[in-house]
Amino acid sequence: LTGIPLPVHLSLAFGAMLVTSEKIFHGHLDVRVATLVGVAIVFAGVAIVKSLLLARRHFKAGLKLTGTKAVHPRALKFIGFVVGVPAFACLGLLGVFLPELSPLWRFLQTLVLSHNLKRIPNLFIDNVGGPVRLHLRMLKENIEPISLVSLRCFLCCHCSSPKVVPKPVHVWYLKLLVTQMCFLQPFLVFLEVIVDWEYGIGAHWIK
């Protein structure tokens, strides 16, 4: 290996094998690893093609809604969600072909996920007419109590918070929680990148 090697083990059902980009590009791969690489390429290719076709459909629908060459804003929002799939798939392929930089690809994938997650609350709010209309409806209409937090594990364990009547402040809490998740998750992955690379260059004080 040349440069700064960072070994990455592909855990297989029949054991872990050391895989590097040098072996991949020179064709010196075990049949099992070559099969895994081929499957990754096929699945990533299908995801990219399907998502681009879906984005194209939203683009045409947006043009049809406006009747002009300008795309409807709602269609643009959905296209923004869909294009995250090709980006995520391409980063996954980079992780397969350049495994030494896999921490970096995971960090970039986390940024893609966080970017889409951050847009979800605004998407729901816009569907009801914006934040002002949502707050007015929550104050004037009779809304049944619901559980703001509900978790189900293994289809048998279920826990939820006490039911309350949703209020405008709960919308702010939801957006704050999503914002915290979108910051905390990339931050933790970034720390993982630093630790992995420090260990890769010989910082053996990292256990």
Side-chain angles (χ1 to χ4, degrees), residues 134-146 164-167:
L134 174 63
H135 288 192
L136 292 177
R137 291 183 61 180
M138 294 179 69
L139 293 175
K140 294 180 180 180
E141 297 182 4
N142 293 326
I143 304 177
E144 297 182 359
I146 61 173
V164 296
V165 177
K167 299 179 181 179

Side-chain angles (χ1 to χ4, degrees), residues 106-206:
R106 289 198 302 270
F107 174 67
L108 294 178
Q109 285 179 323
T110 305
L111 292 181
V112 173
L113 292 177
S114 299
H115 176 69
N116 277 353
L117 181 62
K118 180 66 172 62
R119 301 169 60 183
I120 291 178
N122 292 330
L123 179 65
F124 287 110
I125 293 175
D126 292 341
N127 285 339
V128 296
V132 176
R133 185 174 181 181
L134 174 63
H135 288 192
L136 292 177
R137 291 183 61 180
M138 294 179 69
L139 293 175
K140 294 180 180 180
E141 297 182 4
N142 293 326
I143 304 177
E144 297 182 359
I146 61 173
S147 297
L148 299 179
V149 178
S150 180
L151 301 175
R152 184 181 296 275
C153 301
F154 304 109
L155 302 178
C156 59
C157 301
H158 181 264
C159 59
S160 59
S161 61
K163 294 185 177 181
V164 296
V165 177
K167 299 179 181 179
V169 67
H170 292 142
V171 178
W172 185 83
Y173 287 153
L174 173 62
K175 297 183 67 174
L176 179 61
L177 177 61
V178 172
T179 302
Q180 291 175 345
M181 292 178 60
C182 293
F183 170 78
L184 184 60
Q185 189 174 8
F187 177 73
L188 294 177
V189 177
F190 180 71
L191 292 181
E192 180 187 2
V193 172
I194 296 177
V195 172
D196 285 346
W197 283 354
E198 283 292 314
Y199 182 79
I201 63 178
H204 298 291
W205 55 271
I206 300 177

Side-chain angles (χ1 to χ4, degrees), residues 21-101:
S21 57
E22 183 179 0
K23 290 184 179 181
I24 293 176
F25 289 115
H26 285 81
H28 304 298
L29 284 179
D30 186 271
V31 176
R32 297 168 294 179
V33 179
T35 302
L36 181 62
V37 172
V39 171
I41 293 175
V42 171
F43 277 95
V46 171
I48 292 173
V49 172
K50 289 291 186 179
S51 57
L52 291 179
L53 291 176
L54 181 59
R56 183 170 175 265
R57 292 180 59 184
H58 280 292
F59 182 79
K60 289 185 174 181
L63 293 177
K64 187 176 181 179
L65 286 175
T66 59
T68 64
K69 293 184 178 181
V71 185
H72 195 276
R74 180 176 294 181
L76 289 177
K77 291 179 181 179
F78 282 102
I79 291 175
F81 278 106
V82 174
V83 295
V85 177
F88 193 89
C90 290
L91 291 171
L93 283 180
L94 288 174
V96 172
F97 289 104
L98 299 173
E100 293 86 359
L101 297 176

